[in-house]
Amino acid sequence: MTNAEKLIMTDSHFLMYFLARAMYPRFLITFNEQLENVSASARVGQAVDAVGQVGRPKNITGFQTHETPVLLAHSERAELATDKYIPLTNVLEGFVILTKNPDYQEDEESL
């Protein structure tokens, strides 16, 4: 048997650097074009494989709506809850730059 404590703490201490790099959290933080933090509504839920479906299928199921920044679990995916912003990337993970949607109109009922 291998003595894990001896292996990591004495002989192969450099393995701690690999372990530290592997512990990278998944998150969603949104910015505007001037790289200022923007709080946007995001739906976070279980990822669904929507390859080959017709139309605009949902990519997540069983979602909860949060305000960014959001921490994502291993099997979770995020999407923007409203059309107020347009992301400059297809994948909503990590740092995402948002632009205002020029066609977005606020609902009169929510005012």
Side-chain angles (χ1 to χ4, degrees), residues 51-105:
V51 175
Q53 291 185 0
V54 179
R56 188 175 171 204
K58 294 292 182 187
N59 293 329
I60 61 173
T61 184
F63 58 84
Q64 295 179 349
T65 304
H66 300 285
E67 294 290 322
T68 57
V70 176
L71 193 62
L72 302 173
H74 170 68
S75 62
E76 288 182 338
R77 189 178 292 162
E79 66 181 20
L80 293 178
T82 63
D83 292 331
K84 186 175 182 180
Y85 295 103
I86 300 173
L88 296 182
T89 180
N90 295 333
V91 179
L92 292 181
E93 184 177 317
F95 300 105
V96 177
I97 298 176
L98 302 176
T99 59
K100 285 197 181 253
N101 187 354
D103 299 330
Y104 178 73
Q105 295 179 358

